[in-house]
Amino acid sequence: MVMPKLIVFDLAGTTVNDNKDVHRVLQSIFKKIHLRISINEANQVMGIPKPEAIRKLLEHHRYPYISEMLVLEMHAHFVSKMTAFYKRHASVREKEGASDVFRICKEQGIKVVVDTGFDRAIVVPLLERMGWEKNGLIDGSITSDEVAKGRPHPDMIYRAMELTGVTDVEAVAKVGDTLSDLQEGTAAGCGWVIGVTTGAYSHEELQKGPHTHLVQHLSEMLPLVGIEQ
């Protein structure tokens, strides 16, 4: 079996443990404007750039005073709270087996990049906590504020290809836990689009999205991309 030359992994919910932490931070910033959003409502916007997620939730609740300034202010609060969470909270850890999967991929000569709906400001402390860069387990990271369009658009995949020198998108695998991850990989034309069913979305929910494979645990993806253990 042909192996990919590059695998692009999502962060929260896919390679980083997430106990609805992102959802709860979103809930907290909406409380500031006296709006209550449910965990399920927050879940519907997981994976996409967070300013866009905030705007979608405001529109869903038909908030009467939506403006660019409001979205920017709410997003600034979100960035502040998520950054503090990833810097200090004791629960912050990688998803089981993430480092091992990265290491095995690297040993096979596969480039490993992480991408996310977060801004760079949030990702800096998160990656410091994970230690993947320091240990040489990833080749780079792409955040939604560094491209013209975040998920479900393919821009972050293309940026990861530029970063690693991979030119054939069919030699790229995308791995994530949300529908927007699957849509991103499919829009880019990735040869593998793999959904992880133990994150934000269930097996049943991810089944509705475009994909080549669904797995419960990260390690299950290795044979799907031609890596025999």
Side-chain angles (χ1 to χ4, degrees), residues 5-12 14-16 94-95 97-107 109-116 120 123-143 146 160 163-164 175 218 221:
K5 294 180 179 178
L6 164 67
I7 304 179
V8 181
F9 293 88
D10 171 52
L11 285 174
T14 301
T15 56
V16 175
E94 70 172 45
K95 203 83 175 277
S99 287
D100 291 335
V101 168
F102 292 163
R103 187 176 295 107
I104 291 166
C105 290
K106 296 281 288 174
E107 287 170 353
I110 299 170
K111 300 291 187 182
V112 173
V113 171
V114 292
D115 77 345
T116 177
R120 175 59 62 184
V123 171
V124 168
L126 174 56
L127 290 182
E128 285 177 0
R129 290 283 297 273
M130 295 300 100
W132 298 328
E133 291 175 311
K134 178 178 66 177
N135 294 321
L137 296 179
I138 62 174
D139 296 285
S141 58
I142 314 291
T143 62
E146 296 172 339
L163 185 68
T164 56
V175 182
L218 275 178
M221 58 153 287

Side-chain angles (χ1 to χ4, degrees), residues 1-178:
M1 181 188 281
V2 177
M3 288 190 294
K5 294 180 179 178
L6 164 67
I7 304 179
V8 181
F9 293 88
D10 171 52
L11 285 174
T14 301
T15 56
V16 175
N17 190 64
D18 185 71
N19 187 30
K20 305 295 185 192
D21 305 306
V22 182
H23 303 61
R24 280 192 277 271
V25 170
L26 272 175
Q27 283 183 316
S28 73
I29 67 168
F30 274 83
K31 284 181 182 175
K32 288 179 175 290
I33 60 167
H34 310 290
L35 272 186
R36 290 188 176 274
I37 64 168
S38 69
I39 289 291
N40 184 59
E41 286 171 333
N43 207 50
Q44 299 308 307
V45 296
M46 286 298 110
I48 67 175
K50 293 306 173 281
E52 187 179 334
I54 290 166
R55 182 175 288 278
K56 281 181 177 288
L57 289 167
L58 287 169
E59 290 170 350
H60 176 72
H61 280 269
R62 299 182 180 179
Y63 190 71
Y65 311 113
I66 301 174
S67 67
E68 192 62 28
M69 182 62 71
L70 175 64
V71 172
L72 289 173
E73 287 177 356
M74 292 181 71
H75 182 244
H77 286 306
F78 175 82
V79 169
S80 176
K81 283 179 171 288
M82 282 307 315
T83 301
F85 178 83
Y86 282 137
K87 277 182 178 177
R88 294 187 281 272
H89 203 278
S91 70
V92 177
R93 64 183 186 278
E94 70 172 45
K95 203 83 175 277
E96 184 180 355
S99 287
D100 291 335
V101 168
F102 292 163
R103 187 176 295 107
I104 291 166
C105 290
K106 296 281 288 174
E107 287 170 353
Q108 295 293 324
I110 299 170
K111 300 291 187 182
V112 173
V113 171
V114 292
D115 77 345
T116 177
F118 292 144
D119 280 19
R120 175 59 62 184
I122 298 173
V123 171
V124 168
L126 174 56
L127 290 182
E128 285 177 0
R129 290 283 297 273
M130 295 300 100
W132 298 328
E133 291 175 311
K134 178 178 66 177
N135 294 321
L137 296 179
I138 62 174
D139 296 285
S141 58
I142 314 291
T143 62
S144 63
D145 60 324
E146 296 172 339
V147 294
K149 293 182 178 179
R151 302 182 192 134
H153 302 280
D155 299 30
M156 290 196 290
I157 300 285
Y158 297 153
R159 179 65 63 85
M161 292 173 66
E162 292 172 7
L163 185 68
T164 56
V166 174
T167 57
D168 180 8
V169 74
E170 290 188 4
V172 179
K174 167 62 190 174
V175 182
D177 68 312
T178 67

